[in-house]
Amino acid sequence: MKLTREQIIAIAWEAKADYDNGVWSLTYDELEAFAALVAAAERESCAKMCEDLDHFGADCIDCAAGIRARGK
């Protein structure tokens, strides 16, 4: 899944990025937070895709759990 513009902006705000006159600015800590939030969104998207394949058996559910565990 590709993040939408709206999702990226929401993640940037969540990471406490600043926006002024069309320019986003982030401190290193904010950039780290932004990257972690993007990775978490990607993991969750992949895990949901695995869960949607649950008609193939327990392996898909186990795979989804494994993907989510990568964030811990």
Side-chain angles (χ1 to χ4, degrees):
M1 170 197 107
K2 179 179 177 185
L3 291 172
T4 66
R5 178 182 179 91
E6 291 78 22
Q7 290 170 316
I8 292 168
I9 291 170
I11 290 171
W13 287 127
E14 189 175 346
K16 309 287 189 233
D18 290 321
Y19 182 81
D20 185 33
N21 246 358
V23 177
W24 287 94
S25 61
L26 295 93
T27 65
Y28 181 81
D29 289 342
E30 292 164 347
L31 183 59
E32 257 186 346
F34 180 78
L37 290 165
V38 169
E42 181 68 12
R43 279 192 306 275
E44 186 57 26
S45 175
C46 292
K48 284 181 180 178
M49 286 187 343
C50 289
E51 288 174 342
D52 289 344
L53 297 172
D54 70 349
H55 60 276
F56 288 112
D59 289 345
C60 294
I61 300 301
D62 292 343
C63 182
I67 290 169
R68 287 187 177 108
R70 290 185 56 115
K72 296 179 181 167

